[in-house]
Amino acid sequence: LIIKKSKWKLEAAGVYSCSVFFQESPVTVSANAIVRVFPFINNSPLKSSSSEHLPYNINCTASGYPLPTIEWERSINGTIYPIDGIEKRQLRVSDRMLTSILTFNNSSISTAGEYRCRVHSSITPQGRVPSHYRNVSDSVSLQVPSIATILSKTPFTANWGSRLTLRCVATGYPVPNITWMFGGQQILSGALKNTTATSIEEVVHFDNVSAESHGGSYSCLAKNSIGTSASTITVNVPMRVDGPILRGDSKGYVRYGHAFSIGCLVRGYPLSPTQIKRNQQKLVITEKSTSNSLTVALESSRLVFLTIPAANVSVSGSYICKMHLLNGSTLTSSGKVSVKVAPYFVQNVTDMQYLQHSSARLHCSAAGNPRPTITWTFNSSAINLTSTSTRHTNASLLKFLTKSVLTINNVSRTDIGFYRCVASNGLRLKVTSAAAFLDVYYVLVASVRPLSVVLQTNNHSYFTLTCLVMGNPMPNVTWLKKAHLREDREMKLLAPGSRIVSKDNNRVVTFLNISTEDSGDYVCRASNQAGVATSSEVSVTIQGVPTKVDVLSVKDTTDNNVTIQWKRPFDQYSSISHYCIRVEMEGNSTQSKLIKVLGSLSTSFVVSHLKPFSTYHFKVHAVNDIGPGPASDLLRVRTLTSAPGRVGQVNAQVLSSTKIQVSWTRPETPNGNISYYRVYFSAPSLPQHLDSMSQSFKQVSGTALSVNVTGLEKFTEYNLKVAAVNVLDKNYLEGPASNPIWIRTEEDAPSPPMNVNAAMVPDKPSLLNVRWSPPDSPNGNVTGYIILYKKNDSTLEDQPWQSVNVSSSKIQVNITGLTAFTMYVVQVQSITFKPGYVSVRSFAITDQSSKSFKKFVLLNLGQTYPMHG
């Protein structure tokens, strides 16, 4: 019986017994059956890598029943290799599981490859394994990193022009790839040689070796999937030196005094120190000392220059390039360098001075390689050396030097000019000397232009005088001036300065920022070895604005007018047409005006329509055809005090029935320092105020802006006005009063009613009639009356008063409910916003009966009694 693992677990494998029992017979029949499980691998070996010379283990565990066996095999790219030098161990875990271990004590490239474990048992079928026999074999890859090795010894020396061959062998599993590097850059791959399962060899070739192209460090990089290694070799190229080389300009020659270089080309890898010798004189050239003239192309080549700072004809000669190698030997390269030098002047032509009709000699010397020839120019034109008046000689003194002399006979003014000598030596550069001036002395004459000058300072800022001089050498020119208005009319020498600018050797003078001070008579005076000449006089008149008005003062002052006077200024050669007076109120620039005063003889003026007690600023300036002159110094004047203007807002406030507070603001035009304020008040309704001239006033200080007016009548309407007062020389100057305002004092307790009379009413024994007149001083609006009454009995003195209230429209009332034939005392009290004083008492007796009555005399006690309570 064969059981698949998909249906039975491994634990179910083993020997099974089957027994049969019969009931009719005690005999038992039995049979055994074995359950087997095909072998399978429990854990597969994992793909792994190992470095060389390190221990490493590979495990494979298999299960089955009966117990399987495990075998190992090693292959590389399908080729089977023996497993030698590897320890094999098998561990029996149970009767159904076995583990096999391969131990690599020293892993190396010889142990790399694919390892496969195979599982077998007694039930494993032969030949092709059916699909249901799974996991009976598996493999693992043992990988080793690459190792690169360049076979040549470093450093390696390659000769100039030879062929350079480099070999690199790399080992590893998988087989690595090789990359060549030179100077930090990848180069073309080489040819493959001797490739095996675990190694590769690659060769690179370089033809026509040179230090610039092939000297340096080479690297072989070997890389596989688990690592990279590198091997490096240095290729040296023997040193060599070429030269010497002349380094001039692009035209093939050098200029005198200019720097040029002799160069040596040093080539090889690595480089060594270099020297240059000239005519056996050692000139050591190092990279440090020639940093300003050293050019380095690559690490393996260097162009070293010996810089000669100033070229001359003596720099040609033999030069040696010498190179010291690291091994102590020396390489040299020598050669003769002929330096073509453009012409240059050894003796330059110089300025000369001669008297007319004498002979002049000009000298010039030039050097160069080849030796130069010399010609002459006059004012940039070539000189005709065949002229009878001119001689020219060239003398060759040295190998590279030429001297020339130009002689001019019977010199005249036409020979005055610039002379140059021109040197050339067949090179493309001709050299011309500096210009030398040949001067011939002769006599002079002089005059001045223009002949006269009249200018105005407002249209011109300068004028120029020119002295026309003829003479050689150029005469020294001086200027003299004679002033127009001064008593001393001597000529004074003028010296140039910041305002008098001269040019052309003082022949032309320009007067800047001209003024009338420049007016006068001018002459120029010229002198040299031939003598002295003075020009005729030139008249210069500079018209300007008038000078500043001086001595401005006050002649008279009132409250509205100021009379000012001044001294007439200098008109500066242009008549004064008028004066302008600038008037401005202090602190108020908008209150400004300009007054024009005609006539040049006017020296005073009355300025009117001014404000009283105000400070004004005055300035005066004169005007002529040129323009306005400068203003005078400021004159500050204050007008006199006058009556103030009307006070500002007037307000009044009632403080009581007899007191009013009055306040106001200052006048807009105080016209001085306010001395007092007068508060006028009157009550036209009162008999004593019917005369308007009898109004009262209260006077307060000019600093006060309010006052309390007391002693007024109660509940009376008053007319109030306020006026400001100034004092000038003890005179009171009162301004206009303010517009009147009306105000009434407060109500107060009224005075007692007048003419109180109580009388009995016949046949009305319980009734009294009381009459009265309104109070003389109601002190407000009477709103009603209180009638007070009680019996006139001494025994009832303390009894309370009884009262009756009536409206203000009544002046009599009947008191009812009284006792017949009884004397009563009666008083009347007026009421405003509060009760007033009670009237005098009035006594009356009620009637006894309706048929008979007695009259009692009413008693007037002549006094009033205030109401209490």
Side-chain angles (χ1 to χ4, degrees):
L1 177 65
I2 299 175
I3 303 174
K4 296 180 180 179
K5 184 174 181 280
S6 59
K7 296 182 179 180
W8 294 90
K9 294 183 179 180
L10 180 63
E11 291 78 3
V15 179
Y16 290 81
S17 296
C18 177
S19 298
V20 180
F21 299 93
F22 297 92
Q23 296 179 354
E24 295 83 4
S25 172
V27 179
T28 300
V29 180
S30 64
N32 293 331
I34 298 175
V35 177
R36 297 178 177 88
V37 176
F38 283 113
F40 62 91
I41 296 175
N42 295 73
N43 63 312
S44 301
L46 300 177
K47 186 176 183 180
S48 183
S49 63
S50 174
S51 299
E52 283 192 310
H53 311 302
L54 294 179
Y56 190 73
N57 293 329
I58 300 177
N59 301 332
C60 183
T61 301
S63 299
Y65 189 82
L67 184 66
T69 60
I70 299 175
E71 296 179 355
W72 290 91
E73 66 180 24
R74 170 174 173 251
S75 66
I76 298 176
N77 297 331
T79 303
I80 304 299
Y81 292 88
I83 302 177
D84 298 327
I86 300 174
E87 180 184 350
K88 301 178 184 178
R89 292 181 298 159
Q90 292 197 7
L91 301 177
R92 181 170 179 170
V93 181
S94 65
D95 60 348
R96 295 171 173 81
M97 183 178 296
L98 180 68
T99 298
S100 179
I101 303 173
L102 290 182
T103 300
F104 302 85
N105 295 322
N106 188 9
S107 61
S108 65
I109 193 62
S110 63
T111 62
E114 302 290 333
Y115 287 81
R116 180 180 294 275
C117 69
R118 293 183 180 275
V119 181
H120 303 277
S121 73
S122 58
I123 64 172
T124 302
Q126 299 297 322
R128 182 178 179 183
V129 180
S131 61
H132 59 274
Y133 297 162
R134 61 188 184 88
N135 291 336
V136 296
S137 68
D138 211 338
S139 64
V140 63
S141 175
L142 178 59
Q143 301 178 350
V144 178
S146 60
I147 299 176
T149 304
I150 296 179
L151 300 181
S152 301
K153 184 180 179 180
T154 185
F156 179 80
T157 300
N159 293 322
W160 286 84
S162 64
R163 189 180 196 194
L164 173 62
T165 300
L166 299 176
R167 289 180 171 83
C168 180
V169 176
T171 61
Y173 186 79
V175 177
N177 294 321
I178 290 179
T179 303
W180 286 92
M181 304 292 291
F182 174 60
Q185 302 292 328
Q186 182 177 345
I187 60 178
L188 296 176
S189 299
L192 296 177
K193 300 283 187 178
N194 302 325
T195 301
T196 68
T198 59
S199 67
I200 184 173
E201 180 181 355
E202 187 169 305
V203 180
V204 291
H205 301 283
F206 302 96
D207 294 323
N208 194 19
V209 170
S210 67
E212 294 86 352
S213 301
H214 304 101
S217 178
Y218 292 80
S219 296
C220 173
L221 303 181
K223 180 178 181 182
N224 64 6
S225 60
I226 62 170
T228 302
S229 68
S231 179
T232 302
I233 186 173
T234 299
V235 176
N236 292 342
V237 180
M239 298 295 296
R240 62 184 290 181
V241 59
D242 298 328
I245 304 169
L246 173 64
R247 187 183 185 188
D249 61 17
S250 60
K251 297 180 180 179
Y253 59 88
V254 296
R255 296 171 182 251
Y256 170 75
H258 288 210
F260 73 101
S261 301
I262 301 295
C264 295
L265 178 60
V266 181
R267 306 172 68 190
Y269 186 88
L271 292 175
S272 297
T274 306
Q275 294 178 346
I276 298 180
K277 286 186 176 181
R278 178 169 64 85
N279 297 335
Q280 301 305 314
Q281 179 183 1
K282 182 186 292 185
L283 300 173
V284 179
I285 303 300
T286 65
E287 187 170 336
K288 180 177 180 181
S289 64
T290 59
S291 58
N292 291 332
S293 58
L294 177 65
T295 301
V296 179
L298 296 170
E299 285 187 345
S300 54
S301 64
R302 179 185 297 131
L303 188 57
V304 182
F305 287 100
L306 170 65
T307 300
I308 299 175
N312 55 43
V313 294
S314 63
V315 295
S316 297
S318 297
Y319 289 81
I320 299 175
C321 296
K322 180 179 289 188
M323 179 178 64
H324 298 281
L325 301 182
L326 297 176
N327 58 10
S329 61
T330 302
L331 296 178
T332 61
S333 176
S334 62
K336 186 174 182 181
V337 178
S338 177
V339 181
K340 292 184 178 182
V341 180
Y344 60 92
F345 291 100
V346 178
Q347 179 186 11
N348 218 328
V349 62
T350 58
D351 294 342
M352 304 290 287
Q353 297 83 29
Y354 292 93
L355 295 176
Q356 195 172 15
H357 308 302
S358 63
S359 295
R361 292 172 60 86
L362 303 176
H363 300 267
C364 178
S365 297
N369 184 19
R371 184 175 61 245
T373 58
I374 296 177
T375 58
W376 292 84
T377 65
F378 171 59
N379 290 339
S380 300
S381 298
I383 295 178
N384 183 9
L385 299 179
T386 62
S387 173
T388 56
S389 62
T390 305
R391 295 200 312 273
H392 171 245
T393 59
N394 266 329
S396 300
L397 301 180
L398 297 173
K399 180 178 180 181
F400 302 110
L401 181 64
T402 301
K403 183 176 182 181
S404 177
V405 178
L406 179 66
T407 302
I408 305 174
N409 298 318
N410 193 23
V411 294
S412 63
R413 291 169 52 189
T414 59
D415 296 317
I416 297 175
F418 293 94
Y419 292 80
R420 291 179 173 88
C421 58
V422 180
S424 62
N425 61 354
L427 301 179
R428 286 178 289 176
L429 177 67
K430 289 185 178 182
V431 180
T432 302
S433 70
F437 186 75
L438 176 62
D439 205 1
V440 178
Y441 295 161
Y442 61 95
V443 295
L444 59 89
V445 293
S447 62
V448 176
R449 295 290 185 273
L451 298 179
S452 65
V453 176
V454 178
L455 298 176
Q456 297 177 349
T457 55
N458 61 339
N459 294 326
H460 299 83
S461 59
Y462 69 94
F463 69 90
T464 300
L465 297 178
T466 302
C467 185
L468 303 179
V469 179
M470 297 181 64
N472 190 33
M474 180 56 64
N476 294 321
V477 177
T478 57
W479 292 88
L480 298 95
K481 174 191 172 184
K482 183 167 56 178
H484 277 166
L485 299 180
R486 293 179 181 170
E487 294 180 0
D488 181 10
R489 296 275 289 163
E490 283 190 16
M491 284 288 182
K492 302 294 184 180
L493 184 65
L494 293 179
S498 60
R499 204 175 62 81
I500 303 177
V501 180
S502 67
K503 64 179 181 178
D504 291 345
N505 203 21
N506 209 30
R507 287 181 297 170
V508 179
V509 291
T510 299
F511 294 77
L512 304 177
N513 301 321
I514 61 175
S515 67
T516 56
E517 291 294 322
D518 296 320
S519 298
D521 297 324
Y522 291 80
V523 297
C524 75
R525 182 174 293 165
S527 63
N528 67 358
Q529 291 87 332
V532 177
T534 302
S535 70
S536 58
E537 293 183 357
V538 173
S539 176
V540 176
T541 301
I542 306 298
Q543 297 176 335
V545 299
T547 59
K548 179 180 176 180
V549 172
D550 202 3
V551 195
L552 181 63
S553 61
V554 179
K555 188 175 182 180
D556 187 27
T557 304
T558 67
D559 58 345
N560 296 111
N561 301 327
V562 173
T563 302
I564 59 175
Q565 58 187 3
W566 60 88
K567 183 180 178 181
R568 187 176 186 274
F570 174 44
D571 62 8
Q572 304 223 81
Y573 308 109
S574 179
S575 298
I576 296 174
S577 60
H578 61 277
Y579 294 91
C580 289
I581 303 174
R582 172 69 65 179
V583 183
E584 182 176 304
M585 179 182 288
E586 186 173 82
N588 188 355
S589 59
T590 60
Q591 297 292 323
S592 176
K593 60 182 177 178
L594 187 67
I595 302 172
K596 185 175 182 180
V597 181
L598 298 177
S600 60
L601 301 179
S602 301
T603 57
S604 66
F605 187 77
V606 178
V607 182
S608 57
H609 304 294
L610 302 179
K611 293 184 178 181
F613 199 70
S614 298
T615 301
Y616 287 88
H617 296 170
F618 298 90
K619 286 185 178 182
V620 180
H621 65 265
V623 182
N624 61 11
D625 291 341
I626 311 304
S632 66
D633 293 334
L634 184 142
L635 176 64
R636 189 171 179 269
V637 182
R638 175 181 284 179
T639 54
L640 299 181
T641 297
S642 66
R646 193 185 303 274
V647 298
Q649 180 68 36
V650 178
N651 295 305
Q653 181 181 0
V654 176
L655 300 181
S656 70
S657 60
T658 60
K659 184 191 296 184
I660 294 175
Q661 184 185 65
V662 183
S663 61
W664 57 90
T665 58
R666 290 174 56 84
E668 290 185 2
T669 54
N671 296 335
N673 293 321
I674 302 297
S675 301
Y676 304 102
Y677 289 99
R678 289 177 176 173
V679 180
Y680 291 92
F681 57 95
S682 62
S685 60
L686 299 178
Q688 63 268 31
H689 294 300
L690 292 179
D691 184 2
S692 60
M693 297 302 294
S694 65
Q695 62 181 349
S696 302
F697 69 87
K698 189 168 186 178
Q699 184 167 286
V700 296
S701 168
T703 60
L705 294 176
S706 66
V707 67
N708 292 335
V709 181
T710 60
L712 303 176
E713 296 295 331
K714 300 176 182 179
F715 198 65
T716 302
E717 188 173 39
Y718 281 88
N719 178 299
L720 299 176
K721 292 183 291 185
V722 181
V725 179
N726 285 334
V727 177
L728 177 63
D729 297 333
K730 298 182 181 181
N731 294 321
Y732 287 82
L733 307 175
E734 182 174 335
S738 65
N739 294 325
I741 62 173
W742 295 87
I743 191 168
R744 184 186 294 273
T745 54
E746 289 182 349
E747 292 182 305
D748 206 340
S751 62
M754 304 294 292
N755 304 319
V756 176
N757 181 27
M760 70 175 181
V761 179
D763 298 327
K764 302 290 184 180
S766 61
L767 185 146
L768 283 177
N769 178 261
V770 181
R771 295 177 181 269
W772 64 91
S773 299
D776 288 342
S777 300
N779 297 333
N781 294 316
V782 176
T783 59
Y785 298 95
I786 300 175
I787 313 301
L788 302 173
Y789 64 94
K790 68 179 180 178
K791 292 180 180 180
N792 188 23
D793 187 346
S794 59
T795 60
L796 302 175
E797 183 67 30
D798 295 332
Q799 69 175 331
W801 289 84
Q802 292 180 309
S803 63
V804 175
N805 292 333
V806 297
S807 66
S808 60
S809 60
K810 295 183 178 181
I811 56 173
Q812 69 171 348
V813 68
N814 290 328
I815 303 175
T816 61
L818 303 179
T819 302
F821 199 67
T822 302
M823 180 175 286
Y824 284 86
V825 57
V826 179
Q827 289 180 308
V828 180
Q829 186 179 24
S830 303
I831 302 173
T832 56
F833 73 100
K834 66 179 181 178
Y837 294 94
V838 297
S839 67
V840 297
R841 295 182 176 182
S842 178
F843 297 90
I845 299 176
T846 55
D847 194 6
Q848 182 176 7
S849 67
S850 58
K851 296 181 179 180
S852 62
F853 62 90
K854 295 181 180 180
K855 294 184 178 179
F856 293 86
V857 179
L858 295 179
L859 302 178
N860 188 345
L861 300 181
Q863 59 181 345
T864 62
Y865 299 90
M867 187 69 181
H868 298 286

